[in-house]
Amino acid sequence: MSDSARIVIIGGGVGGASVAYHLTKLGERDVVLLERDELTSGSTFHSAGLVGQLRADPTLTRMNQYSVELYRTLDAGWTECGGIKLASTPERMAEIRRQIGWARTFGLPLEEISVAEAAELFPLMSTEGVVGAAYLPTDGQIDPSRLCYALAAGAREGGARIRTKVRVLGLDVERGRVTRVRTDQGDIDCEVVVNCGGMFAAEIGRMAGVRVPIVPMSHQYVVTDGFHEHAGLPTLRDPDLLVYYRQEVGGLVMGGYERTCAPWTAGESSYDAIPAGFNGRLLAEDWPRFEEISENSRVRVPAMADVGIRKLINGPEAFTPDNEFCLGETEVGGFYVAAGFCAHGIAGAGGIGRVMAEWIVDGEPGMDVWHMDVRRFGAHYRSPSYTLARAVENYETYYDIRYPGDERAAGRPLRTSPAYGWHAAHGAVFGEKAGWERVNYYTSNEPAGDGVRPHGWAGRNWSPAVAAEHHATRTTAGLFDESSFAKIEVTGPGAASLLEWVCANRVARQVGDVTYTQALNRRGGIECDFTVTRRGEREFLVVTGTAFGSHDLGWLRKQARLRGADVRIADVTGSRACFALWGPRARDILATLTPDPLDFPFMTARELTVGDVPVLALRVTFVGEFGWELYCSTEYGLGLWRTLWRAGEPYGLVAGGYRAIDSLRLEKGYRVWGADIGPETTPYEAGLGFCVKLDKEFLGRDALDPDPPRRLRRLALADPRAVALGNEPVRLDGRVVARVTSGGYGHTAGQSIAYAYLEKDADDASGVEVEVEGAWVPATVVT
């Protein structure tokens, strides 16, 4: 075995083979793939092989579309048989119609079909209880093992070396970077390691000191005897019955996602490792657990009651806590992960390989993959029990309809604000983000009646309390607990120069200045969106969104490592509470609590004493109203909240939640990273050119176009009760040109508001329309 390689891939399943294949397509030749047994001997060989393209995440949909394009060119048993999704309830039909809208934005030919048409395409099905259906003719199925071998053959042709029967024993990490892979057949010095270990990925990660939060879940399906003579049957999913089918010669493959799942480990504890010799093997048949799926399958395909069963396949599949892949570079430089495929890795394998290869070669992905980035999992996912609870909940609700505002229950509460008890006592309805319990709204603020309840999906989980909290912030004052906001300290001799290089705006200003800025990738896309406060000559505070702390922390640390900066970058989120006091009466309220002058201007910070609490006050807002974000050490948090509340009550102060913040920011036009802006949008496209200082050097500057052909535009829908939630198609003069990035109802404006990237000259004369749950709603382009 060679004692060196630039890139070592661990794992010979479809993921590892695809990464190797795409690396060679990008010109990488010094690539070695190591497999502990034979290719496909992990989860690949027992995968069901369904390939569906449309997903709720736009990036994953594009990845799956690419997979289909690739599979058409390979000798891997690709069958483009089409796919049907059934609705057995009106609620499911509403979901399908929303998905048909999403598909239009990707050019996917998903169409609604009648029940009779579905039965004609899949004659084995019973139409009893079926409300409607959708059909995508470009979906299909593939032989997972043949796919893996075809990709491996392509990788070999491109120069990659594939070594089977090689056991990885350890990984060496020096100065924060992976340097060596130790195996039972010798050591390999390397620059990059890609962990494609499937269900073994967590164990491989531990070798580098990295937590990869995946859980092997027992997933079962049956292969029937031959019983029909139909050819070219489409795949069929009936999520209301929890089942799926695909053709297998003259029989069927049938499986699903049962409500009582079975995580699989070697012993009784989620800490236990998978047995070292578990290669090319299946788990014992578990017919009692499959009974629910089996009974449901007979409802939709009556022949399943009598057909012979050739075999029951029970194989472990690696699931993540949120049912999204684990991709990307970890906190250890050069150590990448491509694992946690959640039983839909065959559909995504082509896209996964391409994204990972670009990430490795270019240093960053070519698409917005934050929803799949391994860094999205915070430190609390180092807990196997927390990871297990979340993974189980996701598996058991795999086919559930995801309504806006639905919240997960497993592992809660975990991270709480110092004022959490106060919130609960005052009727808070909590949501969870990044493990934090955050107030969505207070039932105590609900007035009589529903107010302007939106139609359809947007009207679910709706509360008129949001309107009350919104209006109070606009007319008197609102108090919001933002303790979950991620806070990062950047300190040291190189802090100023590093942040000036990372940020598009000028951030090394006077001590006390607050700067709103973006951090760009080399393509000019927005990697981070945050504020930077200069606390001292060598001390800066970065504040970013709750869910983006681990991402932004990782981005800053990576840039520091690449530049050799003499800095310390630390996550201090939990050490500081943050309460926002905003509204026309905010100054009146705060003035009663401090002897310090409150005359410091917008986008500056000052140390104050509020009541008995030392506070860092930032004159910033995310709702478009006068006020402050007030930061204090956590032990003062409850006292500060109570002090602010008591002082504000005579002025009509109302405590509010994040639903009101979202409505307020929609009206003001403040962008949200991961929706309105992200790695594939530039500041100039997003209308954030005022944050860019082209007269200085910064990462991504040379890629920027100050006059791009598209711009983020605000749309006001003609029907205020037709509320877009994101991903809905937008058309101009009957032509679909964009999708909604975010939307909601603006309670002050009295409008349904949506944002989308349109041609820069688009105006009302262009005939703008937004599709909301199957209906095209006229919209006006507004400033």
Side-chain angles (χ1 to χ4, degrees), residues 342-354:
C342 304
H344 56 277
I346 300 301
I352 290 166
R354 184 173 71 167

Side-chain angles (χ1 to χ4, degrees), residues 617-637:
L618 272 60
R619 270 278 287 114
V620 296
T621 177
F622 194 53
V623 301
E625 295 295 333
F626 180 91
W628 296 266
E629 288 179 356
L630 305 171
Y631 295 81
C632 69
S633 185
T634 302
E635 71 270 21
Y636 293 110

Side-chain angles (χ1 to χ4, degrees), residues 96-155:
I96 286 176
R97 288 184 175 130
R98 283 179 54 79
Q99 292 171 340
I100 291 171
W102 300 347
R104 289 194 182 99
T105 69
F106 301 107
L108 282 171
L110 180 67
E111 59 179 340
E112 183 174 342
I113 61 175
S114 68
V115 176
E117 288 172 316
E120 185 177 352
L121 288 166
F122 199 97
L124 302 174
M125 68 174 275
S126 164
T127 60
E128 182 181 356
V130 179
V131 175
Y135 176 60
L136 183 54
T138 55
D139 277 354
Q141 61 189 63
I142 198 166
D143 184 314
S145 293
R146 285 180 64 185
L147 173 61
C148 183
Y149 278 104
L151 291 168

Side-chain angles (χ1 to χ4, degrees), residues 36 199-200 203 206 215-218 262-278 281 283 316 388:
R36 60 193 286 132
M199 58 185 168
F200 296 97
E203 180 181 342
R206 285 194 292 270
V215 176
M217 304 291 290
S218 167
W264 181 69
T265 55
E268 298 299 321
S269 167
S270 57
Y271 293 87
D272 294 328
I274 299 168
F278 194 87
R281 294 167 52 189
L283 303 175
L388 176 64

Side-chain angles (χ1 to χ4, degrees), residues 85-104:
K85 183 174 183 179
L86 299 178
S88 297
T89 62
E91 292 79 10
R92 184 70 65 179
M93 197 63 224
E95 178 194 47
I96 286 176
R97 288 184 175 130
R98 283 179 54 79
Q99 292 171 340
I100 291 171
W102 300 347
R104 289 194 182 99

Side-chain angles (χ1 to χ4, degrees), residues 333-357:
F335 184 58
Y336 290 79
V337 174
F341 296 159
C342 304
H344 56 277
I346 300 301
I352 290 166
R354 184 173 71 167
V355 164
M356 290 299 300

